[in-house]
Amino acid sequence: GAISIGFKPKEKYIEFFVKDSGIGVPSNKQKAIFNRFEQADFETSLTIEGSGLGLSITKSYIEMLKGEIWLESEVGRGSIFYFTLPLHN
C-alpha cells in the first residue's frame, strides 16, 4: 500500500489531505467513523484493530481550530481524508 500527504493554500484557509491505498470505507460508514468508538466494519475475515478514537479526536481538534474534516473513499481502492484550517482566527 501507499500513503501520500499534501496541502493546497486557499484564500482563507489551507486544505490538507492524507491519501491511502487501503481497504476503503463503505459510503454508509463514512460519517460514523468520526464518532467515538466506531469503526468501519466489514463482512469479511479482515480484522481491523484499534479503539475507534483516532478520527474522533482528530475531528475534535480540527473543529476546535475552526476547521472541517471529511473523506472520499471507495471500498477496495482506498481513501482520501481532507481537512481545513483557517489562516487567521
Side-chain angles (χ1 to χ4, degrees):
I3 297 174
S4 59
I5 60 172
F7 68 94
K8 286 189 222 177
K10 303 283 185 162
E11 188 173 319
K12 296 183 179 186
Y13 58 91
I14 299 175
E15 182 179 281
F16 297 87
F17 72 87
V18 179
K19 179 178 181 179
D20 70 58
S21 61
I23 59 175
V25 180
S27 59
N28 65 333
K29 296 288 185 179
Q30 290 182 10
K31 289 185 181 185
I33 64 169
F34 292 107
N35 298 334
R36 291 183 194 151
F37 304 111
E38 293 215 31
Q39 297 174 334
D41 57 344
F42 294 88
E43 296 175 3
T44 67
S45 61
L46 292 174
T47 302
I48 300 170
E49 295 183 17
S51 63
L53 286 173
L55 286 171
S56 66
I57 292 170
T58 301
K59 182 177 186 272
S60 294
Y61 278 129
I62 290 169
E63 289 176 348
M64 199 168 54
L65 295 168
K66 308 290 188 231
E68 296 180 30
I69 187 169
W70 68 96
L71 80 144
E72 296 173 358
S73 188
E74 185 178 333
V75 174
R77 298 197 54 117
S79 304
I80 306 173
F81 289 82
Y82 297 94
F83 68 95
T84 60
L85 294 175
L87 291 172
H88 304 287
N89 284 335

